[in-house]
Amino acid sequence: MNFDYSEEQKMLVQSLERTLAKTYDFETYRSQLATKSSHDPALWNSLAELGIMAMSLPEAAGGFDGNHTDIALISAELGRRLVPEPFVSNVVLSAFVLNACGGDSAAEQLGEIATGERKFAVGFYEPGERHNPLALSTKAEKTADGWSITGHKAVVLGGDTASELIISADAGGASLFMIPADSDGLTVRKYQLLDGRGAADLIFDNVSVGADALLGQAGQAEAIILDAVDRGAAALVADSLGAIEEIIDMTKEYLRTRTQFGRPIGSFQVLAHRMVDLLVDYEQAKSMSMEASVEADNEDAATRQKAISACKAKVGAVSRKFGKESIQMHGGIGMTDEYALGAYVKRLLVNETMFGDTDYHLERYSSL
Amino acid sequence: MNFDYSEEQKMLVQSLERTLAKTYDFETYRSQLATKSSHDPALWNSLAELGIMAMSLPEAAGGFDGNHTDIALISAELGRRLVPEPFVSNVVLSAFVLNACGGDSAAEQLGEIATGERKFAVGFYEPGERHNPLALSTKAEKTADGWSITGHKAVVLGGDTASELIISADAGGASLFMIPADSDGLTVRKYQLLDGRGAADLIFDNVSVGADALLGQAGQAEAIILDAVDRGAAALVADSLGAIEEIIDMTKEYLRTRTQFGRPIGSFQVLAHRMVDLLVDYEQAKSMSMEASVEADNEDAATRQKAISACKAKVGAVSRKFGKESIQMHGGIGMTDEYALGAYVKRLLVNETMFGDTDYHLERYSSL
Amino acid sequence: MELSLTAEQTAFRDEVHAFLKESLPEDIKHTQTSGGHLSKEQHQRWHKILGDKGWSTPLWPLEHGGTGWSPVEYAVFDEECYRMGAPRVLPFSVSMLGPVLINFGNDEQRKRFLPGIRSGEDWWAQGFSEPGAGSDLASLKTSAVRDGDHYVVNGQKTWTTLGQHGDWIFCLVRTDASAAKPQIGISFILIDMRDPGVEVRPIITLDGSHEVNEVWFTDVRVPAENLVGQENMGWTYAKFLLQNERIGIAGIGQSKEQLVSLRRLASAEKKNGKPLIEDPSFRAKLSEVEIELRALDLTNKRMLVETERGMDPGPVSSMLKIRGSEVAQRLFELKMDAAGLYALPFQPEAGDAGWNDQLAGTLAQARSAPHYLNTRKISIFGGSNEIQRSIVSKMMLGF
Amino acid sequence: MELSLTAEQTAFRDEVHAFLKESLPEDIKHTQTSGGHLSKEQHQRWHKILGDKGWSTPLWPLEHGGTGWSPVEYAVFDEECYRMGAPRVLPFSVSMLGPVLINFGNDEQRKRFLPGIRSGEDWWAQGFSEPGAGSDLASLKTSAVRDGDHYVVNGQKTWTTLGQHGDWIFCLVRTDASAAKPQIGISFILIDMRDPGVEVRPIITLDGSHEVNEVWFTDVRVPAENLVGQENMGWTYAKFLLQNERIGIAGIGQSKEQLVSLRRLASAEKKNGKPLIEDPSFRAKLSEVEIELRALDLTNKRMLVETERGMDPGPVSSMLKIRGSEVAQRLFELKMDAAGLYALPFQPEAGDAGWNDQLAGTLAQARSAPHYLNTRKISIFGGSNEIQRSIVSKMMLGF
C-alpha cells in the first residue's frame, strides 16, 4: 500500500504546472470567456506538446500506455487553472470508447487524440431522463447502406468543438455510433457551461450515416457506456480536487488578510472552525479521489462502480459545501465575477452534476 | 389569528407550575426513579386534584370540555418537570378512544380518568413493524361467549400501571378491545423507559374475554387508531417543548457561568453562535407545536395528519439536535446521571420515538 | 389560540386579491414569475400603481401615507402579492429611508422627499457598505467635510443594489475622523446621484447579472440641508433603519412562490421514468424544506405580533433573517438540483426582458443555477448571518 | 500508487488473523461483540495474552518491547482485532504513560513500570482532568508540595475512566503555584492508588453505566522518585502524550465493527413489511456514513504514512479525532434509530456479564440508546472537538 506518484508522473505534472503558470492565469481565463469559446488552439497545441493527451493512451497509438492516475493528475491541474479545453471529452471518454470498440480506424483516431489534431465528443445522456446514461430514446434504424438516426443528446461535454460525435442509440439495444458534426439533419446547438467549458445539445433528425458509423457490435454497448461514464466521473472528481485546493489557498489567504473590527476575520472562531471542517472534508475527498483514480481501471465492474460512486457522491457533497462556505467566508467579494472564487465554484458545480450527480451516485452505491 | 391562551388556561398552568415547583424537583425525580416505578400515587392524586386530568374531558364525564391546547399546556409542564406519571396514556389516548367508541361504560370510565382513580393504557404497536400503528398481527377470534386474543403489543406507554388495557386486534379488520391487566394468559412485561416513564410489552396467549370487551364496531377502528396516535403525538411534542425550554435555561446558564481559559465559555463565538441556532430552532419547534395542538382536534383527517406529521418531524429533528448540542456544550458534566440535563435528553428521545419517529412522519407528510 | 385568519383578515385578503387581479400588468407578472429581471420602467410602473392605491408605504404612520395594517395584515398582503406574481416594492426608499426621514428628518425633508418615495418617482439607492467596511460597517471611510453650506464628499460605496438606476442615494459618511470610537462621527446624508462627481460602476456578480454597483464620490458638493438629523449621529439612525427591517425580512411570500415553482419543475423532470416529485429521496428533501417554511411562516407572524406587544425587536429580525435566508437558499439549491444537466448551460441573458434566443433546456432550468449562485448573497448582504448570530447572542446570552 | 495491501501486508494480516482465531477467548469475544462491558479480569486476561505474544505494546521502540510495525501494519492489526471481536488494549498505560516513561522517565522507572504495562498486570488510570479544568487543562489545581523525599498531594481528578480498577494513576499536579503562566509549574507524577488518602468515587453516566470516576487525594504522600522527568515540566510531557495518540485515534476498526452490527440490526428490523435495510431512505443514510468511513479509512492510513515522513503530527491527530468521532457517533445514532421502539426501554444492566433477566427487544436494541448516549462522550473527552478544531486552526491558519 502506498500513496505515491511515480517520478514520470511528478515530472509531467511539474511541466504542466509550469506551462500553465506561464501562459494561463485568471485574466487569460476571463479573456477566453469573453471570446465565447471554450477552446484556444494555441493553448490546446501547447498542452498536446507537453504530452498530456498522449500520456494515458496506448503505445500503439503514439501514447505512453499510462493509466487513470495520469488522467487524475492532469485533470487536477486543469481544474486548478480553470482550463476549459476539451481534455476529458477527448482523452478520457472518446479515447476509451474508441479503444474499447476497436475497429479499423480506432488506432488512427486515437493517434489524432494523442496529438490533439482532431476532436471528438461522446454523448450518452438525453433530456428528461436525468443522470441515467442508459436511458435511451434515440433510435438508429437500419437502412440499405447504413443507419438513420433520430433523437436528442443533452449537454454533450466538448460537443461544441468536436468534429466527430460518438453517441449511443438504440439499434436493438444500446449501440454506439460515430457521426461527423456537419452531417445533414444534425443540429449542434453549442453553448458554454457555467464555468466556460463547452458543450452542445445534439438533435438528430433522420441523420443518414454509413454502415461503418457503428462502433463495435450493435446492441452490446451498455458495459462500455457505464465504464466510460465511470472514467469521466473519476476525471472530473480529480478536476474538482484541483479546484478545491485553489479555493482552500484563496480562502485561507483571505481569512488571514481581510480585517474587520480591527482583526483578521480568520481570528473569529466561527470562521476558523468552519475552515477546519472544510480542511477535514478536503482530506476525505482527496482520499476518495485517489481511490477512484486507481479503481477507474479496475476490470471488475462492480468494484469499479462502487468506488466511483462512493467517490463521486462524497466529492460532490464536499464540493457543494466548499462552494457555499467559501463564498460566505469571503462575503461580498466572493459574489463578484472578477474575483476568481466564483469561477471555481462554478467549475465545481459542473463537475458535480456531469456523469451522475451526488444523489445518483449515492443511490447507485446503495444498490451495488 | 392569535397565539394567546385563555385566562382559564393560564390559571391552570400557573397552579400546575406552583404545585410541581413545590413538590417535584429533580431530586424528587431521582428518588422516584430509584424506586423503579413510574408512578407515585400521592403525586398522581395531587395532579388529579388540580383538575389536569379533567380539563380536556367531556362535561358529561365530570370534565371541563376543553380541547387539545389544554393537553398541550399540561404536557409541557410535565415535560418541564420530568414527571413520569401516565398522563398521556390515560387522559389523551385512553380517554379519546373510550369517548370515540362510546358504549355503555364509556361515561363511567371517562369519569374514572377525570378523577385519576382508575388507569388505562392503549397499545397499538407491535414488534418488528416499526412505527406503523395499523400493522396488525394480533388476532381476536370469536368464541361462544366473547373473544380469544393472541398477539404481542410492544412498548405500551403506561402499560406498567394500567389496570385496563385497550389494544388493537384483527377481528375482520382493525378492532379495539379492553382487557383487564390481570387476565389469564396475558403477560404484562413491565419496565421503565429511558427517562423513567413506564411502559410494558403485552403478550396475549389465547386470552378469553367477554363480548363486551369489544369497543365500538369490529373491523372499524382504523380511523380511531390514527386519530388517537395523532393526539398522542401532539401531546408528546408539547412535552418536548417543555423539556427543551428547560434545556435552554440550563445551557444558557452554563454558558454564562462556566469558565475555561479565564472566560465564560459562552463568550467563545462557536458556542454562542450554535446556541443562537438552537434558539431559532426552538422558535420554529414552538410554532409547529402550537399548530399541532390546534389541529389535533381537526375533524378533517388529512389536514390533521399533515399538521401533526409536519410537527412531529420538525420537533423530532430539533429535539435530536438539542440533545446532542446541549451535552456537547456542557462537556463532561452533561454526561453525568446526577446532573439533570441527561434526563431531559432522554425524555426527548422517548418523545421523538413514540407515536412515529421523525422519518415515519416525514414520509407520511410526503405522502399526504 | 386561533391560527386561521379571522373573517376580517379573510375579507382583507380577498380585497388584496381582487386589486392585484385587476391592477397587476401582465408583462410585469410574467417577468416576475419566470424568474427574470424587472426593468427600471417595470419597477416604477408597479410602484406607482401601488402608490395610487395608497399601498406603496403600508407600514408608515397613517399621517404620512401608511395604511394602518397590522403585522398579520401586512403578511397577508405580502403573501398575496407573491401568490399573484406581483413584485415587491424595493425596500431602499420605502422600508429604509422613509422611516428614518419620518423619525429623524425635518419637515422640509419630509415634504420634499416622501411624495417621491410614495409614488416611486424618485429611485433611491443605499450607500452603506464600503470595500473595507462590510460586516464592520462602522469602519467606513467615505468622508464629508463641511465647506460653507455644503458638505464635500469623497470616497467609495459598494454593493449598491440597482444603483445604476438611482436618482438619489442615502449614505453614511464620516464627518468627524477624530472621534474616539468608529461609531461616533458618522452622519446620514442624502446625495443627488446626478450631481457632478458621482460615478456608478457596475459589479457583475458570479451569476452573470448586473444588480450591484460601486458608487464613487469625487469632491461631490452636497447641500448641508441634505443632512438628516444631527451631524455625527448617523450611526443611531442606521441602527434604527436596520432593526426596522424585520417585517418581511423572513421572505415568506417569496419562499412560498419558490416552493410552488420548485414543485412545478420537479413535476416536469423525470427520474427512473416517473416524475421527479414522486421520487422518495427528492420528496423527503422537499418535505423538509416545506415543513421548515411552514414553521417559519407561523414563527414570523407570532414574532411580529409579539414585537407589537413590546418584545425586543432586535433578536427577532436577526432570527427571522437567519432562518429565512437559509430556507430561501435551500429552495434555490433544490431547484438547481432538480433541473439536472440543464442547470449547467450558462445563459445569463435568458432572464432579461426581450431575450429571445434558443435555450438549452427550459427557462426554469436555465435560470436555476444563476439563481442559486445569486442567492448566496442573501446570507451576506444586509448584515451577514454571522453578524446576525452575534446580534442575537449579544442580546440573549450577553456575549 | 497502490491502495491494496502488499503481499507482505497480506501475510501479516493472515498471521494476525490466525493468532486471534487461536488465542482469543470465547467469553471475551462474546462480551465484546454483544456490546457489553468487559470485566477487569477479562481486560487483564486479554492484555496478558497479547503481552505474551509481544503484541501488547506494538508501537513502542523495539528495545522496550515494541514490534517495529509500520503505521499501515498497525492499522491492519487494529482492524483485524475488531473484525475478530478482540478488544483493544486500554490506552492509558500502553499508549499514554509508556511513551512518556520511555522518553522522559529514568532507567529506574522504566525497569520498575514497563514490565507491568506490557503484561497488563498493573492497571493504570489517567489523572488529568479536574472539575474546573476540562478543556482548559492547564488550569488544574491539584497540588503536590515537596516534603523531604515525598510530595504531599491534595486535590481532585475527575472523568477517570475505569479508575475503579486502578492500581496506579499518572497525574498532572501543580508543584509551583506562583508560576507566571498556568502551563508552568505543572509536574507529571505517578501515584499508587492503594496508598492512604486516595479515594475513588463512581460517576454514573447518563446511560446508566459506571465507567468514569472521581479520584480524591487527601494528604497523599508520594515518594519523590515517582516524579517523571523534571519538576515543573509536566505540561511538556502531557502535550507529548496527547499528540502521541494519533495512531488509532480515528477508531476505524471500531467503526467498521459498528457498521457490521448496524447492518445486522437493520436486516432484522422490518419497515413496510420489508427489511429496514432495503428501505431507500435508510439505505441513503447508511451509504453516506459507509462512504465517510471508507474515506476516513484511507485518510487515516495516508496521514499516518505522511506523518512518518515528517508531516506535522499535530493537526493530523486532531483531524482524525474530529472526523473519527463524528463517524462513530453517527453509526451509534443510526443504530438507535434502526432499533425503533425497542430502543426506549431502559435496561442498563443488560450489557453486564452474567445479566440474565428478560429483555424487551433484542440485546442489540436494548443497548442501542445507552450506546448512543454513552458515545456522546467521544467528542468531549480527551480534548473536545472544539479544542481539536482550535488546535488545527492554530497550526494551519495561525489563529
Side-chain angles (χ1 to χ4, degrees), chain A residues 3-14:
Chain A
F3 301 88
D4 305 324
Y5 293 102
S6 69
E7 287 309 311
E8 291 77 14
Q9 289 178 319
K10 287 183 197 159
M11 281 171 54
L12 174 77
V13 167
Q14 275 168 16

Side-chain angles (χ1 to χ4, degrees), chain C residues 49 92 181 192 269 292 363 367 377 386:
Chain C
I49 292 170
F92 311 109
K181 287 173 60 186
D192 191 327
E269 284 289 313
E292 195 68 44
L363 185 61
R367 300 295 302 144
K377 76 182 176 200
E386 288 78 17

